[in-house]
Amino acid sequence: MCMGHRFLCGRSFCPILLKARLSLSIKKLLDALEIQGSSPPSTFVGSWGYPKVTIGPLTPPIKGRETCLMDSPEKWIHMAMDEILRYRFMLVRGKIRVGVEEARNPGRLVLSVQEIAMSTNPVDLEVDFKRKPSLKPVFSPREAPMGFSAPIKRLFLEGNPKIQRKIDYVTSDVDLKANEAVINLYRAGFPQRQIMRIFSLGLIGLKSKRRIVPTEWSITAVDDIIGKTLHREILGYPEINHYLVFGCKALGNNVQILMMPSTWMFEVLEAWILTTKPKIYTDYEYTRGRKNYAENTAGAYYAVRLPVLEYLSMERRQAAVIAFLEVYREWVPLGVWRFREIAREALKKKPLRFETIKEAIRELNKKLKISPYFWLRKSEIYRSFTSQTKLTSFV
Amino acid sequence: MFSFMVDDVNLLKRVIDSLHILVDEVSLKITDESVSTRCMDLSKVALVELYMPREMFVKYECDKEHIVGLNILDLKSRVKRASANDELTISYNDELKMMEIIIQGASKRIFRFRTLTTVEGYLERVPKVQFTAKAKLLSETFTNMVLDSEIVSEELILKATEKKFIAEAKGESGETIVELEKESEGLLELNVQEEATSRYKIDMLKNMVKGAKISETVDVYISNNLPLKIEYVIPGGGKLAYYLAPITA
């Protein structure tokens, strides 16, 4: 299993690609050097070749307001996997190669892409390509997959994209730091996806520091920036009183969350259940949070931490939290958003309450394929929670 | 108001660092005799205690007892601007109600910033522990004991017997044992009333041994399954101590 990288599975054909080819018959629609359509809005910045990167809009060859669904992961978790794939493969990615610092003084093409990124509603586009779009599916561990792509010759925006005043305001403020701008937009209720696009195209931050940031990195950066702010906030709240278990299964993924009465601690345990003995990946942080990057679970760590912190901030409580992520065979790598959205869905439901850790673990045993006893042997936070004494008990 | 001048800026920087490894905010108690603080980390697992008598400073003035809450980063970022030869004065400006850091070198630089109105964990109580063993070690030796153990595990066991002071760590990849006998160069003193064994998180200890930059020797106090105390003497008569709660087996 390639976990999202291409052809690492060793098979001579990619089953996902095959599925995509069979389920789609959009090739005909794309047999031209130009397309007209409504971008959801969606933009992509590749990481390959950084600091020279490929940026561009994603547009389906159809027009209409409904296209917004094609780039709204928060609405995808109740959809079928091939439906999501169908949506994603219908998006044609235009490509422009630029230096990341061009965000500060954008040329015409880059400016158009930036305008698309800022838009709240779908943007009608006309794109002329240098050659016919070809199908080279890109699966990344973090970003949703994409299908057809071609270099852009010309890009026309039909009409002016709708840019909300708040967005106009934070993007024009060249003395506002990027993380403050992100928090500003988040507090104003903008979808995270839109904030990520704006961040990615170097539209926020101090003027001299603005740069284009690959989509993959932007996703995690935005998760982390918002997470850090909420982390600081919840440290002042009282601890929860019970053991809570939350959970949700969707799209071949299972996210179970255990909260324990303690000061803030957090751990992600992730397992891809493809063999009989799956390896468990883990990253954790103690009360003061982490300073270095969560290398083992990468984007998933930040994507799950955010909804957990959102929940605690809303409840005005803190807790020690362990998130168990199981990925099953039927999953195709569609991006890290699913952990964020499935966790959000889990945390929307009423939690199961327990008086003791034993009861909570018994409940997890029913919900997880891997036994919680096996999981918890790998868990540093569980170990710390059960064995670390507090100085206050010696006073 | 209060005001005190330090002549060893680098030492002050190290002292601030040794607080920052555990907490982000402190409440300093400044009296006619000393500057001190005692604060617990957010998870209530560790505590740091700092005591600096007035003799440690070049000039020292204080009209009454003051308690000021400070964000350590606020303090650190300003003190960092001073170089080794500068004279540095920390004071409180009563009129402006602000902290002042004055750095006197090639020019006179004044930094003013606000204090915190509320600081949690203000002057915490020290855990009541009867320590049954005390070891005086070279700071470097103790630092190495902790770092050697970290290779195999997240936890270490400290043991004091009549003749030896030992650190042990066991992990999936193997085990590490560091033994200091009474004759060992790194062990300067060992007083054991009762043999003691106790287990601690390396993650926390590792931060604490950074205090080793302040002093060449360290006193380590342990008891059976009770918090540990490590204490560094600050040149000039001050002291820096950490307490750390044990983990149960």
Side-chain angles (χ1 to χ4, degrees):
Chain A
M1 181 63 197
C2 63
M3 276 201 186
H5 298 287
R6 269 189 288 168
F7 305 121
L8 295 183
C9 55
R11 296 188 216 182
S12 56
F13 70 98
C14 176
I16 304 150
L17 184 52
L18 188 70
K19 198 153 97 186
R21 280 227 174 93
L22 290 174
S23 64
L24 304 172
S25 49
I26 56 166
K27 182 76 186 159
K28 272 182 226 139
L29 278 169
L30 289 171
D31 199 19
L33 271 171
E34 52 162 65
I35 61 163
Q36 290 185 0
S38 309
S39 178
S42 174
T43 54
F44 181 79
V45 179
S47 61
W48 190 82
Y50 188 90
K52 276 253 180 222
V53 293
T54 315
I55 73 165
L58 277 79
T59 321
I62 48 170
K63 280 195 177 176
R65 290 183 62 88
E66 316 74 63
T67 58
C68 67
L69 194 57
M70 294 178 178
D71 201 60
S72 309
E74 64 277 8
K75 293 178 189 142
W76 290 347
I77 66 160
H78 296 301
M79 285 165 45
M81 219 132 29
D82 35 344
E83 207 175 342
I84 301 171
L85 274 176
R86 193 198 305 262
Y87 277 143
R88 293 304 296 181
F89 281 122
M90 222 192 262
L91 291 169
V92 182
R93 176 159 72 104
K95 295 191 285 192
I96 311 160
R97 199 142 182 86
V98 294
V100 291
E101 290 180 359
E102 209 177 300
R104 280 166 238 168
N105 301 301
R108 234 168 105 182
L109 273 174
V110 176
L111 197 64
S112 300
V113 181
Q114 287 184 325
E115 279 182 22
I116 297 167
M118 283 194 279
S119 175
T120 304
N121 296 337
V123 186
D124 290 344
L125 298 180
E126 207 181 302
V127 192
D128 287 357
F129 296 113
K130 288 186 182 158
R131 54 173 185 264
K132 285 182 191 173
S134 56
L135 184 57
K136 282 185 202 142
V138 178
F139 287 97
S140 118
R142 261 174 267 181
E143 172 60 333
M146 290 165 299
F148 290 87
S149 66
I152 292 181
K153 196 158 102 192
R154 273 190 299 187
L155 173 65
F156 301 104
L157 270 61
E158 296 173 6
N160 288 323
K162 182 173 160 45
I163 296 167
Q164 294 199 354
R165 195 181 296 170
K166 182 86 187 175
I167 290 186
D168 192 30
Y169 174 78
V170 296
T171 53
S172 321
D173 189 344
V174 290
D175 296 316
L176 184 67
K177 288 183 177 171
N179 52 355
E180 286 165 18
V182 167
I183 296 299
N184 251 333
L185 292 173
Y186 175 76
R187 298 264 191 230
F190 285 95
Q192 207 176 327
R193 189 82 183 156
Q194 191 175 2
I195 303 174
M196 185 281 288
R197 274 199 304 269
I198 292 168
F199 182 94
S200 156
L201 280 150
L203 285 158
I204 48 176
L206 303 176
K207 182 78 185 169
S208 61
K209 292 201 171 159
R210 289 192 180 188
R211 68 192 61 193
I212 294 170
V213 183
T215 303
E216 252 187 68
W217 308 351
S218 305
I219 294 172
T220 296
V222 171
D223 277 338
D224 190 37
I225 291 169
I226 305 172
K228 276 208 176 98
T229 306
L230 296 177
H231 169 240
R232 229 168 297 143
E233 177 195 322
I234 65 145
L235 288 180
Y237 296 148
E239 298 167 12
I240 57 170
N241 301 322
H242 297 89
Y243 294 87
L244 306 178
V245 174
F246 302 81
C248 177
K249 284 183 201 175
L251 297 167
N253 284 263
N254 181 8
V255 175
Q256 298 292 326
I257 296 166
L258 167 68
M259 293 194 184
M260 305 178 284
S262 160
T263 46
W264 165 257
M265 289 193 272
F266 178 71
E267 180 166 33
V268 161
L269 297 161
E270 181 185 2
W272 291 59
I273 307 183
L274 309 162
T275 55
T276 45
K277 269 196 176 174
K279 184 171 161 43
I280 291 176
Y281 298 89
T282 159
D283 279 299
Y284 56 87
E285 65 185 51
Y286 294 116
T287 311
R288 281 173 104 194
R290 65 181 305 134
K291 290 208 173 81
N292 49 356
Y293 182 64
E295 289 196 356
N296 302 317
T297 53
Y301 183 86
Y302 300 92
V304 178
R305 192 181 64 164
L306 178 58
V308 166
L309 284 164
E310 280 172 344
Y311 172 86
L312 290 170
S313 149
M314 214 168 61
E315 296 288 321
R316 304 177 75 82
R317 285 283 183 279
Q318 59 175 320
V321 183
I322 302 177
F324 304 84
L325 317 182
E326 287 186 341
V327 185
Y328 303 133
R329 220 166 242 289
E330 57 265 35
W331 170 248
V332 292
L334 294 183
V336 82
W337 57 266
R338 95 285 194 172
F339 283 135
R340 185 185 317 111
E341 300 311 326
I342 298 173
R344 274 200 181 129
E345 192 66 21
L347 292 158
K348 263 192 232 161
K349 298 182 199 164
K350 209 171 168 233
L352 297 165
R353 251 166 219 280
F354 302 96
E355 293 297 326
T356 64
I357 182 82
K358 269 194 180 158
E359 290 170 88
I361 294 174
R362 214 173 296 142
E363 179 62 28
L364 285 167
N365 195 22
K366 292 184 212 156
K367 300 267 176 70
L368 291 162
K369 266 195 189 162
I370 300 176
S371 150
Y373 304 99
F374 185 66
W375 280 109
L376 292 174
R377 236 184 293 155
K378 297 273 176 193
S379 168
E380 188 50 41
I381 294 303
Y382 177 72
R383 195 170 160 69
S384 191
F385 177 79
T386 48
S387 65
Q388 176 68 61
T389 58
K390 309 245 172 201
L391 280 181
T392 39
S393 43
F394 296 97
V395 172
Chain B
M1 63 85 73
F2 63 82
S3 161
F4 46 91
M5 189 201 275
V6 247
D7 69 341
D8 190 344
V9 174
N10 286 340
L11 178 66
L12 180 70
K13 286 181 186 172
R14 279 183 225 129
V15 168
I16 296 173
D17 280 341
S18 63
L19 296 173
H20 197 204
I21 53 144
L22 228 56
V23 289
D24 295 316
E25 295 172 356
V26 286
S27 41
L28 283 185
K29 180 172 161 187
I30 298 130
T31 66
D32 189 29
E33 276 150 21
S34 65
V35 179
S36 63
T37 183
R38 197 184 293 147
C39 31
M40 213 179 265
D41 83 314
L42 289 166
S43 57
K44 302 197 174 7
V45 169
L47 181 142
V48 56
E49 194 180 23
L50 173 72
Y51 171 79
M52 296 189 289
R54 67 180 293 159
E55 292 74 35
M56 267 185 71
F57 303 94
V58 190
K59 283 181 195 160
Y60 193 95
E61 276 175 56
C62 180
D63 55 354
K64 59 174 194 313
E65 183 180 308
H66 292 264
I67 305 276
V68 283
L70 293 177
N71 181 319
I72 296 194
L73 218 52
D74 281 347
L75 187 65
K76 200 171 159 175
S77 55
R78 275 108 182 150
V79 170
K80 206 168 122 186
R81 299 298 308 145
S83 47
N85 303 326
D86 292 341
E87 279 178 348
L88 189 145
T89 308
I90 298 177
S91 61
Y92 186 74
N93 188 321
D94 275 333
E95 275 169 38
L96 299 169
K97 304 246 177 283
M98 282 178 119
M99 283 294 288
E100 254 178 13
I101 291 182
I102 304 163
I103 300 172
Q104 183 84 53
S107 61
K108 182 178 177 182
R109 295 179 278 168
I110 304 174
F111 298 91
R112 292 199 181 105
F113 59 97
R114 296 198 183 286
T115 55
L116 302 173
T117 44
T118 51
V119 175
E120 284 209 28
Y122 144 73
L123 299 182
E124 297 281 352
R125 278 186 294 168
V126 168
K128 280 185 198 133
V129 184
Q130 284 283 340
F131 295 107
T132 58
K134 177 195 166 186
K136 193 181 209 44
L137 289 82
L138 289 179
S139 298
E140 198 191 338
T141 310
F142 187 58
T143 305
N144 284 335
M145 282 179 115
V146 176
L147 299 184
D148 289 345
S149 308
E150 196 199 8
I151 298 171
V152 294
S153 178
E154 309 251 350
E155 306 167 4
L156 70 73
I157 300 167
L158 287 181
K159 270 187 200 168
T161 65
E162 216 173 301
K163 289 186 181 145
K164 285 180 187 172
F165 186 69
I166 308 163
E168 280 178 12
K170 268 184 203 156
E172 281 174 6
S173 65
E175 57 184 318
T176 304
I177 302 156
V178 186
E179 272 188 353
L180 291 175
E181 290 176 16
K182 270 197 163 165
E183 304 78 45
S184 303
E185 208 178 302
L187 183 64
L188 307 174
E189 267 176 54
L190 182 66
N191 299 320
V192 180
Q193 293 163 12
E194 198 180 297
E195 292 197 353
T197 306
S198 203
R199 189 188 287 257
Y200 305 96
K201 266 235 142 71
I202 291 181
D203 177 63
M204 282 280 190
L205 263 181
K206 203 173 86 178
N207 281 330
M208 295 175 174
V209 296
K210 286 181 185 153
K213 286 182 194 152
I214 289 178
S215 163
E216 284 187 2
T217 61
V218 56
D219 292 334
V220 182
Y221 298 81
I222 59 170
S223 293
N224 251 336
N225 301 319
L226 285 175
L228 115 165
K229 176 183 173 186
I230 58 181
E231 189 173 88
Y232 296 96
V233 173
I234 308 174
K239 68 170 193 185
L240 171 76
Y242 294 104
Y243 290 82
L244 176 63
I247 44 185
T248 51

